Amino acid sequence: MADEVVLLDYWASMFGMRARVALAEKGAKYEYREEDLRNKIKSQVLLQMNPVHKKIPVLIHNGKPVCESLIIVQYIDEIWRDKAPLLPSEPYQKAHSRFWADFIDKKLYDAGSKIWLTKGEEQEAAKKDFIEILKQLEGQLGDKPYFEGEKFGFLDIALITFYCWFHAYETCGNFSIEAECPKLIAWAKRCMQRESVSKSLADEKKVYELVLGVQKMLGVD
Amino acid sequence: MADEVVLLDYWASMFGMRARVALAEKGAKYEYREEDLRNKIKSQVLLQMNPVHKKIPVLIHNGKPVCESLIIVQYIDEIWRDKAPLLPSEPYQKAHSRFWADFIDKKLYDAGSKIWLTKGEEQEAAKKDFIEILKQLEGQLGDKPYFEGEKFGFLDIALITFYCWFHAYETCGNFSIEAECPKLIAWAKRCMQRESVSKSLADEKKVYELVLGVQKMLGVD
């Protein structure tokens, strides 16, 4: 029996994109199902498959749901284990990758969102936080081509999906991420040369349009 | 060369206790180093070993730090792999365990803390949240002896360390967790029969005294 793989996702979600990149790295075929989150409509399938958080992404593998993007990427790595290993095999390196991926989840999304959801002093503080977080990550990257060394892997996936939001952050915040973190941007461009990444990430201009729309709706502009 | 294992910890931390239970399950010898967090003093070693979050627990294995309790437990499981496996080996079960452990981290600590840090309506809401979270977990336990089935494992460790705080939650909130979640309490008592758990968890009366002290300091009482 062939595997049935379905991804419940939303085009602009950096968390959903992580699952897309991981599946692409593995060459796994799957059915992509877009949730209409822009209009705050959640499908019955989503509510049934992730009743706890009611959030995308959800990977449905032969009818069984896996939720939370980093858990999904680890699951994908374990199921399609013969191709393109994503997590390091050595326990200490694995713990290190998990730590920094968790750091991204705890810090980066909120700091990034505040850049376009706030104005004035609050926005300035958010920009400072955001750059500080990226500099910590850039420090971890060092002079390696990828976060885990010579090969593209788990931690690259955890971070690269934010890259298509950088244009929106920069335009709303009127600052340049590249001026602050040139090595990180060089790494991002390196990742974008991979088809698994370039084909999975959203168009940065469309992300910016989405941000403008949400700002207008919330009265931030 | 023998392994050098050090745990930076604080006696009342449910996160630190997770590392203690996991190490005890594995029969791993380690040096326990108490951080004086009650007096808000953090050792130079802690600041050096976890410069990002500056939080316990930190497991230092042959000089290298591993941080964040669930990452530490997974690391311990991978290093001491020959004894008492903690995570399920099957990828879907593993993803399931990771999901619920993450759920505990995202929900339970905050809800529990609000029970003793607030009063009145806010406290009532916290109690309701807390019980709701425990009921979801109890639903996952079902009629199994342990969360992952017949054997004590990762998800049991993630949750059982909260048990020694239950007395403080109940006394401050004037409610009975057992009346709401009898199966969960039966599970907790089952876990407490394991030496790895009973010797790693703090005394519930001392936890309550700590809570009273902090309440007094913050003017909650």
Side-chain angles (χ1 to χ4, degrees):
Chain A
M1 192 187 75
D3 274 351
E4 190 195 44
V5 184
V6 175
L7 182 67
L8 308 183
D9 202 347
Y10 175 63
W11 68 273
S13 165
M14 45 280 260
F15 303 106
M17 289 176 222
R18 288 174 173 170
R20 283 177 244 165
V21 175
L23 288 163
E25 282 288 324
K26 299 290 186 176
K29 293 214 183 320
Y30 65 99
E31 181 194 338
Y32 179 94
R33 283 196 210 159
E34 181 77 359
E35 291 282 327
D36 187 11
L37 298 191
R38 181 71 181 84
N39 294 309
K40 298 188 177 174
I41 298 167
K42 294 183 177 181
S43 72
Q44 279 305 313
V45 177
L46 176 58
L47 299 177
Q48 190 186 330
M49 289 289 165
N50 189 359
V52 175
H53 300 305
K54 304 175 181 69
K55 283 181 182 170
I56 60 93
V58 180
L59 185 81
I60 310 172
H61 187 199
N62 295 330
K64 293 197 289 188
V66 181
C67 305
E68 297 294 284
S69 65
L70 294 177
I71 295 173
I72 293 172
V73 174
Q74 291 180 77
Y75 177 80
I76 290 169
D77 198 30
E78 288 170 20
I79 291 291
W80 288 272
R81 64 174 69 197
D82 294 334
K83 196 181 164 189
L86 301 175
L87 275 140
S89 55
E90 197 278 316
Y92 186 77
Q93 291 302 324
K94 207 183 289 185
H96 187 265
S97 292
R98 286 186 177 133
F99 175 83
W100 286 101
D102 175 72
F103 171 82
I104 292 167
D105 275 8
K106 282 181 176 147
K107 306 272 185 182
L108 198 62
Y109 179 80
D110 283 350
S113 300
K114 277 185 193 155
I115 295 174
W116 61 273
L117 285 169
T118 64
K119 292 280 172 193
E121 274 179 35
E122 215 178 337
Q123 189 187 45
E124 287 306 311
K127 278 158 62 178
K128 211 179 140 194
D129 274 359
F130 186 79
I131 289 297
E132 181 57 35
I133 293 161
L134 288 188
K135 278 185 191 288
Q136 281 181 280
L137 289 163
E138 197 180 42
Q140 289 305 311
L141 177 65
D143 292 315
K144 303 189 295 296
Y146 297 109
F147 273 94
E148 281 127 345
E150 296 300 315
K151 279 167 62 184
F152 178 83
F154 180 68
L155 192 46
D156 301 303
I157 294 178
L159 184 58
I160 191 59
T161 59
F162 283 82
Y163 182 56
C164 59
W165 282 74
F166 280 15
H167 172 65
Y169 299 149
E170 288 180 319
T171 312
C172 296
N174 191 28
F175 71 126
S176 159
I177 297 171
E178 189 163 16
E180 302 279 354
C181 303
K183 278 187 188 174
L184 197 80
I185 296 298
W187 159 84
K189 287 177 179 165
R190 196 174 302 125
C191 293
M192 283 296 276
Q193 286 171 11
R194 302 177 77 82
E195 204 176 279
S196 65
V197 176
S198 61
K199 287 201 171 172
S200 299
L201 264 57
D203 181 305
E204 61 178 24
K205 295 204 168 52
K206 284 192 183 156
V207 171
Y208 180 55
E209 278 170 31
L210 172 71
V211 159
L212 290 180
V214 178
Q215 281 184 329
K216 200 169 176 181
M217 192 180 70
L218 298 175
V220 180
D221 58 332
Chain B
M1 192 186 76
D3 275 350
E4 191 195 44
V5 185
V6 175
L7 182 66
L8 308 183
D9 203 346
Y10 175 62
W11 68 273
S13 165
M14 46 280 261
F15 304 106
M17 290 176 221
R18 287 174 174 171
R20 281 177 245 164
V21 175
L23 288 163
E25 282 288 324
K26 299 290 186 174
K29 292 214 184 319
Y30 65 100
E31 180 194 338
Y32 179 93
R33 283 196 210 159
E34 181 77 359
E35 291 284 326
D36 187 10
L37 298 190
R38 182 71 181 83
N39 294 309
K40 297 189 177 172
I41 297 166
K42 295 182 178 184
S43 73
Q44 278 306 310
V45 177
L46 176 58
L47 299 177
Q48 191 187 329
M49 288 290 165
N50 189 359
V52 174
H53 300 305
K54 303 174 181 70
K55 282 182 182 170
I56 59 95
V58 180
L59 185 81
I60 311 174
H61 187 200
N62 295 328
K64 293 196 289 187
V66 181
C67 306
E68 297 294 283
S69 65
L70 294 177
I71 296 174
I72 292 173
V73 174
Q74 290 180 77
Y75 177 79
I76 290 170
D77 198 30
E78 288 170 20
I79 292 290
W80 288 273
R81 65 174 69 197
D82 294 335
K83 195 181 166 190
L86 301 175
L87 274 139
S89 56
E90 198 279 315
Y92 186 76
Q93 291 302 325
K94 206 183 288 184
H96 186 265
S97 292
R98 286 187 176 132
F99 174 84
W100 286 102
D102 175 72
F103 171 82
I104 292 166
D105 275 8
K106 283 182 175 147
K107 306 272 184 182
L108 198 62
Y109 179 79
D110 284 350
S113 300
K114 277 185 192 153
I115 295 174
W116 60 273
L117 284 169
T118 64
K119 291 279 172 194
E121 274 180 35
E122 217 178 334
Q123 189 188 44
E124 288 306 313
K127 278 158 60 178
K128 210 178 139 194
D129 273 1
F130 186 79
I131 289 295
E132 181 58 35
I133 293 162
L134 288 188
K135 277 186 191 288
Q136 281 181 281
L137 289 163
E138 196 179 44
Q140 289 305 309
L141 176 65
D143 291 315
K144 303 190 294 296
Y146 297 108
F147 273 94
E148 281 126 344
E150 296 301 315
K151 279 168 62 185
F152 179 82
F154 179 68
L155 192 46
D156 300 303
I157 294 179
L159 183 58
I160 191 60
T161 59
F162 284 82
Y163 182 55
C164 57
W165 282 73
F166 280 14
H167 172 64
Y169 299 149
E170 289 179 322
T171 313
C172 296
N174 191 28
F175 71 126
S176 159
I177 297 171
E178 189 163 17
E180 302 280 353
C181 303
K183 279 187 187 174
L184 198 80
I185 295 298
W187 159 84
K189 288 178 179 166
R190 196 173 303 124
C191 293
M192 283 295 276
Q193 288 172 10
R194 302 178 78 81
E195 204 176 281
S196 65
V197 176
S198 61
K199 287 202 171 173
S200 300
L201 263 58
D203 180 306
E204 60 178 23
K205 295 204 168 52
K206 284 192 182 156
V207 171
Y208 179 55
E209 278 170 30
L210 172 71
V211 159
L212 290 180
V214 177
Q215 280 184 331
K216 200 169 177 181
M217 192 180 74
L218 297 174
V220 179
D221 58 332

